[in-house]
Amino acid sequence: RLGPQHPAGARRPVGASTRSTAKPPPLRLPKFRPCSLAHVPYNHSLAPFARMKLVPCAMCGRKWVPELLLSTTEPPVHLPIRGDGALVQARVVRPHAFARKGGAKNAESVSAALPFLEFELQRQLVLKIKILGMNAAFKFESVVEVGSTMMLGVCSATAVFLEPLPPPPKLRVLRPAFIGPGSAHPELAAGEAARLTALAQRLEDTADRSARNLKAGRPSKFVV
């Protein structure tokens, strides 16, 4: 049944529907770039740290990314990751003597030693990440235990290779000086110097092999 017809020019009754049949324009969202998850949120000339080096993004080339990324969170779902992750772990032990009745002195000595222990943990972890040929690590965890005779620090993370970040530079380890005239380390025996040289060569070979495996899509081995 048809309702009452309103003549042309007549006013619409109060309460009548004024809904338009025209469709609203589509909502245009900015294009999402997966590499944007690794971009720094500030200009490269305004880095918060003096020695923080930023480089252009390897995927879009428009924004800036760090050379190495450490995070305590899980990696985002859409973050471009090449290959599989690998577990890295750093361990540091430092001797420490506690006085039986020196509560304040013990606290001061622990507070003074903690920054150096944390620095050594991070330095060791970053080195192992570079040996694997990776440029980022997620799920970073650090634990420090203080005992009566020593301090123990352990940190672990999952190393990955992010496509927006640059690959780590080729690892080169300085060789120790051998015994001889003008030696920089005369206290080292010839056998000890040879052992350190062989160890440095093994580290370089491991880093080169990890880089080749990552480029070929093969998983890297664990470093503990």
Side-chain angles (χ1 to χ4, degrees):
R1 183 179 178 182
L2 298 175
Q5 300 296 325
H6 300 280
R11 292 186 177 181
R12 187 180 299 272
V14 178
S17 175
T18 58
R19 183 178 301 175
S20 174
T21 58
K23 294 183 179 180
L27 181 63
R28 295 184 179 180
L29 298 176
K31 185 179 179 180
F32 172 73
R33 304 178 191 275
C35 62
S36 63
L37 297 171
H39 295 167
V40 295
Y42 39 78
N43 190 279
H44 69 283
S45 61
L46 302 176
F49 305 104
R51 295 188 177 183
M52 186 175 182
K53 185 177 180 181
L54 301 176
V55 296
C57 178
M59 295 186 65
C60 67
R62 298 181 178 181
K63 300 294 183 178
W64 299 84
V65 296
E67 291 184 317
L68 181 71
L69 180 63
L70 293 179
S71 175
T72 58
T73 64
E74 296 283 352
V77 178
H78 301 288
L79 188 63
I81 297 178
R82 182 194 304 176
D84 299 326
L87 173 67
V88 288
Q89 189 179 82
R91 299 179 292 268
V92 176
V93 179
R94 292 287 183 268
H96 183 75
F98 264 94
R100 292 186 177 181
K101 296 183 179 180
K105 292 183 178 180
N106 291 337
E108 291 178 1
S109 60
V110 170
S111 299
L114 275 178
F116 298 98
L117 187 140
E118 292 283 355
F119 175 81
E120 180 63 24
L121 279 175
Q122 184 175 357
R123 188 192 66 83
Q124 189 181 135
L125 188 74
V126 170
L127 177 60
K128 290 186 176 183
I129 292 173
K130 292 182 178 180
I131 291 177
L132 283 175
M134 308 293 190
N135 55 15
F138 291 89
K139 199 61 179 177
F140 175 83
E141 296 179 353
S142 177
V143 178
V144 177
E145 295 288 343
V146 180
S148 59
T149 58
M150 64 180 61
M151 297 175 59
L152 170 65
V154 179
C155 68
S156 59
T158 301
V160 296
F161 185 90
L162 299 184
E163 295 286 356
L165 272 62
K170 194 171 184 179
L171 183 66
R172 284 294 171 259
V173 183
L174 295 178
R175 268 58 172 177
F178 288 93
I179 296 295
S183 174
H185 301 278
E187 69 279 2
L188 291 178
E192 181 68 10
R195 186 187 69 84
L196 294 177
T197 301
L199 180 60
Q201 186 63 45
R202 286 177 56 190
L203 289 175
E204 292 179 357
D205 294 341
T206 302
D208 294 340
R209 184 168 58 254
S210 298
R212 292 193 301 268
N213 291 342
L214 186 65
K215 189 175 182 179
R218 294 189 294 268
S220 299
K221 294 183 178 180
F222 292 99
V223 174
V224 297

